[in-house]
Amino acid sequence: TVGIPVKYGVNDKLQFSLNIPYRSWKSEIDPDPSNDDAGVGQVGVSGKLGISENFAVGLEVQAPRGKIGPTQNLAEGTNVGLNLIATGNLDPVKISGNLGYLLKTKYKDNDEYEWEPGDPIIVRAAAEYPMKSISLIGEAQFQSFGKTKYTPKGGSKTDWKDSNGSTLDFLVGGQYLKDAMKLKLGVSVATGDEDYRAGNPVFRFYDS
């Protein structure tokens, strides 16, 4: 996944963002090459409002693009996320924390199955060590997913077996800042339920 975020600060307290992720998916488990895919995933529009020097609240809406569905791994339905953000300093290290909830709406895939994805709770913590124009960054992210349900065309609603679970991801990387441009590059290690470690659309660098 490669994200292309664009941000605009209205003032010191209010910021709007647009995130356009490009996703490339290739399953090592499913031998059917028709399930491999690449293209634009969930497009996110968000806003962040500072309520004090160290606390902010964020709201994000994710809209689907391209093919939709559990076996078409670029997108799903419209999602709405709420985040509580805290920042601080332990000189010279900057620290951040984020508690979020992502409400996922129903959607139909290309086979006319109606899906009700489980809503994830997301907890993130990050640290940044600045060195002139380059910073070292680290992140830990925990996600807990509710159970997903589906309804086949003309059928009854069914729980998707083993669809609830959790993951814990660790990221280490670097950040380059030049004027209004920021470039991040890193490596992640994921633990937890395998179905959520692979191709999770929520995955991204923590950004307070």
Side-chain angles (χ1 to χ4, degrees):
T1 301
V2 178
I4 307 174
V6 178
K7 299 184 179 183
Y8 177 74
V10 178
N11 51 44
D12 292 340
K13 292 185 177 295
L14 181 61
Q15 174 182 279
F16 293 103
S17 303
L18 172 67
N19 187 56
I20 305 174
Y22 181 86
R23 307 191 67 222
S24 178
W25 172 276
K26 181 176 176 61
S27 175
E28 299 295 334
I29 301 174
D30 190 342
D32 185 358
S34 65
N35 288 334
D36 298 341
D37 230 327
V40 176
Q42 299 281 112
V43 176
V45 178
S46 61
K48 183 175 71 171
L49 177 64
I51 54 180
S52 70
E53 183 179 355
N54 299 108
F55 294 93
V57 61
L59 180 68
E60 180 179 21
V61 177
Q62 300 174 359
R65 294 285 297 171
K67 298 178 180 179
I68 297 177
T71 59
Q72 308 295 341
N73 299 284
L74 302 183
E76 47 189 16
T78 299
N79 302 328
V80 180
L82 179 65
N83 294 287
L84 301 177
I85 304 162
T87 60
N89 287 287
L90 295 174
D91 289 332
V93 179
K94 300 177 182 180
I95 57 174
S96 304
N98 183 315
L99 174 62
Y101 181 84
L102 189 63
L103 175 64
K104 296 193 172 189
T105 61
K106 297 179 183 180
Y107 65 91
K108 286 187 177 181
D109 65 14
N110 299 326
D111 296 323
E112 294 297 313
Y113 276 55
E114 183 178 77
W115 293 88
E116 297 180 37
D119 301 336
I121 297 173
I122 308 164
V123 181
R124 301 188 185 103
E128 176 185 349
Y129 182 81
M131 300 183 299
K132 295 184 179 180
S133 60
I134 298 176
S135 299
L136 299 178
I137 54 177
E139 174 188 345
Q141 175 177 270
F142 172 79
Q143 298 181 84
S144 178
F145 300 86
K147 186 173 289 292
T148 293
K149 303 180 184 211
Y150 68 94
T151 305
K153 186 176 181 179
S156 58
K157 184 183 298 186
T158 305
D159 288 345
W160 192 8
K161 184 180 179 181
D162 299 328
S163 60
N164 58 326
S166 61
T167 63
L168 180 60
D169 300 343
F170 299 94
L171 296 93
V172 177
Q175 172 179 279
Y176 175 75
L177 183 62
K178 177 66 174 178
D179 298 326
M181 183 175 294
K182 182 188 292 184
L183 176 64
K184 291 182 176 181
L185 182 65
V187 177
S188 69
V189 176
T191 63
D193 295 286
E194 185 175 358
D195 288 343
Y196 288 110
R197 295 204 309 265
N200 189 338
V202 180
F203 167 82
R204 59 174 174 260
F205 268 108
Y206 173 80
D207 193 348
S208 63

